[in-house]
Amino acid sequence: MNQQEGYADDIVKGFVIWSMVWGLVAVLVGVFISFQIAFPQLNFPPYLTYGRLRPIHTNAGIFGWGIGSFMAFFIYITQRLTRTSLWSPGLAKVQLWLFNVVIALAAVTLAMGMNRSKEYAELEWPVASLVVVLWVIFAVNIIMTIVKRREEQMYISLWYILATLVGVAVLYLVNNASIPVSLTKSYSAYAGANDANVQWWYGHNAVAMVLTTPPLAIFYYFLPKATGVPIYSHRMGVIAFWSLIFMYLWTGAHHLLWTPVPDWVQTLAMAFSVMLIAPSWAAVFNGYFSMNGQWHQMRENYLVKFLIFGITFYGMQTLQGPSQAVRTFSAFIHYTDWVPGHVHMGTLGWVSLVLFAAIYYTIPRIYHTEIYSVGLANVHFWLVLTGQLIFSITMWIAGVQQAAMLNATNPDGSLHYSFIETMVELYPYWHMRALGGVIYLAGLLVFLYNIYQTIAGAKTQAVAQRA
């Protein structure tokens, strides 16, 4: 199936290219702020400080790279799984323009210090309102395409896509409810512990609906495409889907253990977090079992390497996450560098590896060409894998050491180490983290060069054919 058969693949091209642009911005800023922590003299107030740049890094990564790619692949996948053209290609073009306007506005306003001080929901109300318009346009287009589908069977990817569209809408509207006091300032509609509870109900479910369900939709679609064999069990996938959706929504308060939030809310979140291991690992096993008799493709097929390592990082992430939700372990590692190690295993390992595979698969097909260099794709894989492992493992070790020092006490009960003494011990780990970021960035540049040459080669071929 291609553009000639009526699919809106030009829109897919636009979203893929712009998501890669914003992904590069996210990693560049991320590497820079990792150096700012290791070398504080690299902070240049007021605009180039860690406090201003960190939310730009997370917004560009999650919303620019992540959401941009998901929009591309939701449009690509939905058309093919429903055997139906996109309901409104014109609306999708408006969506692409608005998407880039929103991400650019987010970067500018955050650099200027306009910030709601809510993690992953920092945007002030004018930009947040545009996000709502953007999401409504996107959701209507995808849902109407599914409604008008010519394929009766709803493949598992479509369930994950629908959950994302509905879940993000509910989360964003509830947590961004605010009272504007000027064009550039607003205050949350909630107060005190309620505000914190709503924020982390949103924050953790943003992980579910942005960093879990979309990459699972993409994984379930592209693994069979890459290997040439069907997914092991569609029924197992659907059962895992409904279990995951039911359990995830109760887990947000595990970010608020040992706080004034009611004890029963914390316990409920802890219990559902541990139960989440089952549906999460059902997806992991579904991926592994789909490889029965096909494991040789890990050597022969570069796409499979990205996808299987991606789902493996998802499995590790979904063991580590519930363990962090247990009170005793949370008391030890919360507020340490263990947490960024955990988060980046998910974003750099799970989400990005799956997206890299999807882009490698999709770009040659919608440009009607071959990938420029499989060798470069393999170099890209090993660089980003090495960079991500250095980053995460370094932060896990740093977090454990930091926690042990912060909890060490003298016989009289006083703290054995001051905060400054614990911080000084972390500098070698921060240097290693910056090194891991540089290696990951090098891998990303190899990827972008490979994709650029693939597209440029396709255009040259098209010109030659017309001549």
Side-chain angles (χ1 to χ4, degrees):
M1 299 287 184
N2 53 39
Q3 182 78 13
Q4 285 70 39
E5 294 172 79
Y7 291 161
D9 286 342
D10 285 342
I11 297 298
V12 176
K13 294 175 186 175
F15 274 110
V16 168
I17 290 170
W18 277 106
S19 69
M20 291 190 297
V21 170
W22 293 117
L24 177 61
V25 171
V27 175
L28 282 172
V29 177
V31 170
F32 183 64
I33 61 176
S34 73
F35 276 94
Q36 284 185 319
I37 293 177
F39 305 97
Q41 62 271 30
L42 292 177
N43 285 266
F44 304 104
Y47 302 112
L48 298 179
T49 58
Y50 181 85
R52 296 281 178 94
L53 292 177
R54 198 264 182 181
I56 295 177
H57 163 62
T58 55
N59 277 267
I62 297 172
F63 302 113
W65 163 239
I67 292 287
S69 299
F70 301 147
M71 286 177 168
F73 293 117
F74 282 14
I75 293 171
Y76 181 88
I77 291 171
T78 302
Q79 292 181 103
R80 284 155 177 82
L81 288 180
T82 60
R83 295 192 295 118
T84 306
S85 302
L86 189 66
W87 182 64
S88 174
L91 207 56
K93 289 179 183 174
V94 173
Q95 177 193 337
L96 177 59
W97 279 99
L98 187 56
F99 164 75
N100 285 302
V101 168
V102 166
I103 300 297
L105 280 174
V108 171
T109 54
L110 290 170
M112 294 174 68
M114 299 174 194
N115 192 322
R116 296 178 70 232
S117 303
K118 286 192 160 194
E119 196 167 16
Y120 313 131
E122 294 93 347
L123 304 181
E124 277 295 351
W125 68 271
V127 185
S129 300
L130 289 177
V131 173
V132 173
V133 173
L134 173 67
W135 199 259
V136 169
I137 290 173
F138 177 44
V140 167
N141 218 350
I142 295 294
I143 290 171
M144 287 306 296
T145 305
I146 294 174
V147 168
K148 292 182 173 298
R149 71 186 187 276
R150 291 188 290 169
E151 172 59 55
E152 186 178 351
Q153 173 73 31
M154 287 275 288
Y155 183 63
I156 183 64
S157 295
L158 292 177
W159 288 106
Y160 279 108
I161 287 172
L162 286 171
T164 303
L165 296 175
V166 175
V168 168
V170 173
L171 293 166
Y172 201 83
L173 285 173
V174 172
N175 192 48
N176 278 274
S178 59
I179 303 168
V181 293
S182 72
L183 190 62
T184 59
K185 188 60 192 170
S186 62
Y187 292 98
S188 174
Y190 317 100
N194 287 336
D195 190 38
N197 210 7
V198 171
Q199 160 61 20
W200 284 110
W201 169 79
Y202 162 87
H204 197 74
N205 285 298
V207 173
M209 297 301 166
V210 177
L211 302 179
T212 301
T213 51
L216 280 173
I218 292 167
F219 175 81
Y220 273 115
Y221 180 83
F222 284 103
L223 182 67
K225 290 290 183 184
T227 59
V229 295
I231 201 74
Y232 171 71
S233 170
H234 188 260
R235 179 176 297 177
M236 183 174 166
V238 172
I239 293 172
F241 164 79
W242 285 109
S243 304
L244 184 128
I245 297 302
F246 173 70
M247 293 178 189
Y248 232 123
L249 294 174
W250 301 88
T251 60
H254 74 219
H255 287 265
L256 299 169
L257 300 179
W258 308 103
T259 69
V261 170
D263 211 43
W264 70 267
V265 176
Q266 298 179 33
T267 303
L268 190 72
M270 192 171 64
F272 272 94
S273 298
V274 173
M275 286 194 289
L276 257 183
I277 294 173
S280 302
W281 271 82
V284 177
F285 283 127
N286 218 348
Y288 287 164
F289 292 161
S290 301
M291 292 295 294
N292 283 341
Q294 301 296 324
W295 286 104
H296 59 92
Q297 293 199 40
M298 286 289 284
R299 296 189 308 273
E300 302 160 359
N301 186 338
Y302 69 100
L303 294 174
V304 174
K305 269 205 296 276
F306 281 96
L307 291 165
I308 293 300
F309 269 84
I311 198 71
T312 301
F313 281 123
Y314 173 65
M316 293 169 63
Q317 187 84 357
T318 52
L319 287 177
Q320 204 176 59
S323 69
Q324 294 168 198
V326 175
R327 276 197 180 89
T328 47
F329 192 50
S330 175
F332 185 67
I333 54 88
H334 207 178
Y335 308 118
T336 72
D337 278 356
W338 173 283
V339 177
H342 167 69
V343 171
H344 283 79
M345 178 172 62
T347 52
L348 299 181
W350 157 232
V351 177
S352 292
L353 288 185
V354 169
L355 289 179
F356 290 142
I359 292 173
Y360 276 130
Y361 179 91
T362 305
I363 286 292
R365 283 163 178 79
I366 59 180
Y367 280 93
H368 311 293
T369 186
E370 299 292 328
I371 194 71
Y372 171 69
S373 171
V374 172
L376 284 179
N378 281 311
V379 171
H380 164 218
F381 171 79
W382 289 111
L383 282 173
V384 296
L385 180 67
T386 304
Q388 189 266 310
L389 287 175
I390 290 175
F391 187 114
S392 289
I393 293 172
T394 301
M395 290 296 94
W396 294 335
I397 297 171
V400 170
Q401 178 173 334
Q402 189 180 11
M405 294 180 73
L406 288 171
N407 285 282
T409 55
N410 297 312
D412 64 357
S414 61
L415 291 175
H416 188 74
Y417 298 101
S418 69
F419 176 75
I420 293 297
E421 286 176 313
T422 66
M423 201 177 73
V424 168
E425 294 299 319
L426 294 178
Y427 272 91
Y429 301 110
W430 291 341
H431 295 156
M432 288 296 294
R433 172 169 63 179
L435 173 65
V438 170
I439 294 172
Y440 197 95
L441 174 61
L444 180 63
L445 292 175
V446 170
F447 163 70
L448 295 176
Y449 176 75
N450 207 359
I451 296 299
Y452 170 78
Q453 288 291 0
T454 302
I455 295 173
K459 289 180 177 176
T460 303
Q461 287 174 16
V463 171
Q465 287 173 357
R466 282 198 294 271

